[in-house]
Amino acid sequence: MQGRLSAWLVKHGLIHRSLGFDYQGIETLQIKPEDWHSIAVILYVYGYNYLRSQCAYDVAPGGLLASVYHLTRIEYGVDQPEEVCIKVFAPRGNPRIPSAFWVWKGVDFQERESYDMLGISYDNHPRLKRILMPESWIGWPLRKDYIAPNFYEIQDAH
């Protein structure tokens, strides 16, 4: 089933894939990494001026990684703002997605956390570095195939 935004994107020749609706009735779309920056700008101009949240997850061990953006279209005098969920999938071997920072500045720390936990590189992010883990940390702790270091061995070595 195609939602309102998906129909608008089709009408304007913008490539995407409809993933249907979530349990709250929010339309969910998949955008390819190479199309994400231009579609993000278009969505902002179209009125999706508020980024509610950004997160990321590991789809399956050895599989794709996903960066998820929850956008809201806030207009004066509208009681029920439109919302959309955008998913951008990236290959595990080289997970690169254009940063949404230059469209929605509030995504700064959220993309950094996704980088820190899953290793997704956000191209053109102004300060892409670890935010939760120490800079010396090796690996991406929220990947399903991550093997945690044995902290007892590390403590015994000191």
Side-chain angles (χ1 to χ4, degrees):
M1 185 170 155
Q2 190 178 58
R4 196 169 146 194
L5 181 59
S6 182
W8 187 86
L9 291 171
V10 167
K11 179 180 171 185
H12 292 87
L14 298 167
I15 298 170
H16 69 287
R17 180 174 170 226
S18 176
L19 299 177
F21 297 85
D22 72 6
Y23 71 98
Q24 294 178 310
I26 296 171
E27 186 174 10
T28 303
L29 304 175
Q30 177 182 344
I31 307 294
K32 291 181 181 177
E34 59 269 23
D35 298 328
W36 171 229
H37 180 72
S38 58
I39 289 182
V41 171
I42 290 165
L43 290 175
Y44 185 86
V45 171
Y46 183 66
Y48 286 92
N49 51 6
Y50 180 64
L51 175 91
R52 289 187 50 198
S53 67
Q54 183 277 334
C55 64
Y57 66 95
D58 189 345
V59 177
L64 297 171
L65 301 174
S67 187
V68 183
Y69 300 82
H70 294 272
L71 307 174
T72 304
R73 188 176 183 185
I74 298 176
E75 297 177 82
Y76 180 75
V78 174
D79 292 338
Q80 188 63 38
E82 280 182 50
E83 296 180 47
V84 67
C85 174
I86 304 293
K87 293 187 178 188
V88 183
F89 294 96
R92 175 181 233 80
N94 186 21
R96 302 189 74 82
I97 296 173
S99 175
F101 177 84
W102 301 105
V103 180
W104 299 283
K105 298 277 194 274
V107 80
D108 184 7
F109 286 5
Q110 296 170 56
E111 284 183 342
R112 284 182 59 193
E113 182 178 347
S114 295
Y115 166 73
D116 195 7
M117 296 288 105
L118 291 154
I120 299 172
S121 291
Y122 292 92
D123 294 339
N124 296 317
H125 188 287
R127 292 175 290 280
L128 191 63
K129 61 181 184 173
R130 291 200 180 267
I131 192 169
L132 299 172
M133 306 303 287
E135 285 293 329
S136 60
W137 194 266
I138 297 171
W140 315 109
L142 289 185
R143 286 193 181 188
K144 292 180 179 177
D145 54 3
Y146 177 71
I147 298 171
N150 186 332
F151 290 104
Y152 297 108
E153 288 178 11
I154 293 170
Q155 289 176 349
D156 290 343
H158 292 282

